[in-house]
Structures are given as structure tokens and as C-alpha cells.
Amino acid sequence: MKGRVPFLRRSPAEERTPLTAGARRVIALNNGFQLLFNLLWWMPVFYAYQRQAGLSDAQIFGIQSLYYIAFCLFEIPTGLVADRIGARNCLRAGAVVMTAANLVPVVSPDYTGFLVHFLAIAAGRSLTSGAASAYLYDALHAEGANDHYLRAEGTARALGLAAKVMCWPLVGPLMALSRPTPYLLSAASAAASLACAMALPRLVGAESGTRRSGVWREAGRALRRLRGSPWLALVMVQGVAVFTLSRICQVNLFQPILIDQGIPEPSHGTVLAAVTVAEAVGAARPQWLGRKLKPLTMVSVLSLAMAVSLAGITLGGPVAAVALLCLFSAVTGFAYPIQRKLVNDAVPPGAPRATLLSVESIIDRAVCALAAVAAGAYLSAGRMDALLWHSAAVTAVVMLAVHLAVLIGRPRRPRPPRAAGGHRRQTPAAAPRRT
């Protein structure tokens, strides 16, 4: 069709492999599951909600610390469960746990209730963190639609972010009608995600391949696969920069940055909406970046762009800070699906995919926990600018180390043998085939 905008076209690989009806069904149900499962209506108000319930700041942040620790502890067992019972069944279990978790604060709005709520949230999300990506990757592979994985992963994330932008502004008016509404709506969304998981098609051989193996044997097999695949370990390490920078900026540093720039608190919600829209646009169209760079190099370039965006905030005023935060989020949106595909492609054939993806999640969150502690120390000392510049420097060092490891580990081409007298022996040409 003439006049069509070039960057809206599908990639050549996608044009060569049109989607089957089965692949379209998988993508649609995955989009619905990701949107509904991650639609936590209470997210913008949970701090004030817990304060109104009588919790102190120490109790609120103590629960958050326990949440991150629990998430790391749950990742390995839930990854093993996903490889043992099948990723589809694990998604169903996660949706059930998430539905129950969102109802706990309604029944018990006290310290114990909120603690149980966040621990159950950690369990539910860890059940799906590796299983969702593993199921989508294997399902599209079974349909011969591998080339559509990147677009499908990015679209699911973009739709989830867009839903948050549309729904979060409604939380305040809904709470005026009924205070527990955000938690009831979150439970309803999780229950609807269970319906999507129930409708996902069964993958042949994917839900019974490892039932006979013991859990510890599966864990050992996953670790051996990771140890025997330096490339997989390398791309996992590279992805740490993307996850840590995005998590620390969007959760821990977002409001401190705005306050440091003198942006009034009533405007923070508007800025958050703009930043979320920017990330959704990037996540929906990772193919805009083209195929001129290898995925590993592309993720490194995007990681450096994220770090430079953060450091640049120190050089401008409020308007520049908001613009750079939007740029940071858009780059984050581009980077996530590319990194997910890179890791999935690096998983060796026959390896426990969900378990290995859980290992990646543990690494990401462990580094994020350390970075949060460091960020708190910088902020307590009033060194916001130093924190952002040091984050950029550390990211650059990590990316350089990753690419040096790639160069060192690249196999060298064998030299042709030398003939007597120091001249290289010429390989005789093959005799022409008679016709």
C-alpha cells in the first residue's frame, strides 16, 4: 500500500511468518492475562490507605522490605513448580493466589492483614514472573510464530501500562463511594485474569515433561544448564542494568527527583501519567529500532541511554527533568521486550525455561535491593546529583565488561596449516563434478 508510514510496517520476519489462528488466540489471551493480572488499583493509594488504617511509617516500609525478600525467596520454588506442572497451570495458580491476596486487606485492614497481603502478592507474582514469558515463547514456537514474540511481549506490556493510566485516576472518586473499592477491583481483575489463563491452550508435552523428576534434581539441572551456558549468564547480567535502573527510578527516585526539581506534589500524578504513556509507546513498538544492531548491542545502547537520561536531569530545570523522565521511560519500554527475547533465545533447548527465568528475576531483584539501600544512603546525605551520575558510570562499566567478555569468549578461527618453508599450504580446489 503506497503512502504507508514505514515505521508502522511489520518487520520482514513477521511478514514471512503470518500468524495462525492458534497464535492469534495465544497472543490475545496473553494480553488479557497480563493486563488484568497486573492491574493493581490500590497502587497509587496503598501508602495513604495503610496510614489511615493506623500503620506507622516504620511498619509500612518494613512490610515493603519483607515483600522484596519474600519475592526473591519465592522465585526459585515457583520456577521449579512452573517447569514441573506446566507454565499454564502455574499462571492459573498465580491468578488464584493474587485474587485471594487482594481480598485480605478488606477482611483484615490491620498490620497482620497488610503483611499477609504483600507476602501473598509476592507469591502470586513470582508464580507468573517466569511462567508467563516461558508460556508465550513456547506457545508461539509451537505455532511457528517465533518472529512475533518480540512484538507480542511488548504489546502485552504496553496494554497493561495503558490500562493503569486510564484506571488509576478513577481510584480517588471510587474510594469516596466505598473505601475498600481499590482492593475489591484488584481482586476482580485478578479473577478475570484467571479466566484468561483457563482459556489458554494446552501445550503438547509442556505440562508433563518433568513430573517424574524430583524438585531438587530439577533445580540442579537448571543450575548446571546455567553454568554450562556462559552466553545465558552473560545476557542475564546485562539485563540487570535495565531492570535496576527502571525500578529504582520509577519507584524509589521518582518523587525525590520531582521534589528536588521543585515540582509541586499535586502535579506528580500528571507527570506519572505522562511517564507511563511514554513507556507504553516504547513497549508497544520495539521494532521501531530496526535490526541494524545485534540484540545484545541494542540492549547495551538502550541501557546507556537510560543512564545518560538520568544523569542529564542534574543539568536542567523542571521542564527538562520531566522530558528526560519521559525519554527514560520510553527507552525502558523499548528495552524490556528486547531483553526478554534475548534471554529466552539464550535458554538451551530442553532446559527448564521457567526456572531459569526465575533465576534471572532473583538476580535482578537482589541487585535492586542493594541499589535501593545505596540510594537511601545518597538521599540521606543530600547527594541526589552524585547518585544519578554514579548510576550512569556504573552502568557504563557493566556494559563495557559484558562486551569485553563477549570478545574474550568468542572462538577464534583456526589458522590454515603452514607448509615446509614457512608458506601456508594452499587447499586444493575441489575437482569439478562431471555432468
Side-chain angles (χ1 to χ4, degrees), residues 1 33 146 218 224 241 260 379 405 421:
M1 174 177 164
F33 178 86
N146 303 56
E218 284 301 308
R224 286 193 299 272
D260 184 69
L379 293 178

Side-chain angles (χ1 to χ4, degrees), residues 72-274:
C72 287
L73 293 177
F74 288 149
E75 276 292 344
I76 282 292
T78 53
L80 291 170
V81 168
D83 286 316
R84 190 175 180 82
I85 68 174
R88 183 183 65 156
N89 291 331
C90 208
L91 296 180
R92 296 173 178 177
V96 171
V97 173
M98 186 66 80
T99 302
N102 286 314
L103 293 174
V104 173
V106 179
V107 178
S108 179
D110 52 19
Y111 176 81
T112 302
F114 285 112
L115 177 60
V116 173
H117 161 71
F118 271 100
L119 293 178
I121 290 288
R125 296 189 71 176
S126 62
L127 278 166
T128 63
S129 64
S133 182
Y135 177 87
L136 178 63
Y137 191 87
D138 288 336
L140 292 182
H141 177 76
E143 294 288 340
N146 303 56
D147 295 325
H148 293 268
Y149 171 80
L150 179 62
R151 189 185 185 97
E153 187 80 58
T155 300
R157 182 173 178 83
L159 290 175
L161 293 169
K164 292 174 182 178
V165 173
M166 296 175 62
C167 295
W168 281 350
L170 304 176
V171 173
L174 290 172
M175 282 187 69
L177 299 175
S178 177
R179 189 166 174 270
T181 299
Y183 290 93
L184 293 173
L185 288 175
S186 299
S189 298
S193 74
L194 174 61
C196 293
M198 295 296 293
L200 287 170
R202 181 179 183 274
L203 301 181
V204 178
E207 298 177 10
S208 59
T210 61
R211 288 179 186 268
R212 297 180 181 178
S213 301
V215 172
W216 292 111
R217 181 176 298 178
E218 284 301 308
R221 188 163 72 95
L223 292 176
R224 286 193 299 272
R225 289 282 190 169
L226 182 61
R227 187 172 61 249
S229 178
W231 175 252
L232 176 59
L234 197 64
V235 297
M236 284 184 176
V237 170
Q238 185 194 42
V240 168
V242 174
F243 184 88
T244 303
L245 285 174
S246 64
R247 188 71 179 175
I248 292 298
C249 176
Q250 295 171 345
V251 177
N252 299 91
L253 295 181
F254 181 75
Q255 284 194 304
I257 288 174
L258 298 185
I259 293 171
D260 184 69
Q261 292 291 331
I263 299 174
E265 289 190 17
S267 303
H268 290 188
T270 303
V271 177
L272 178 61

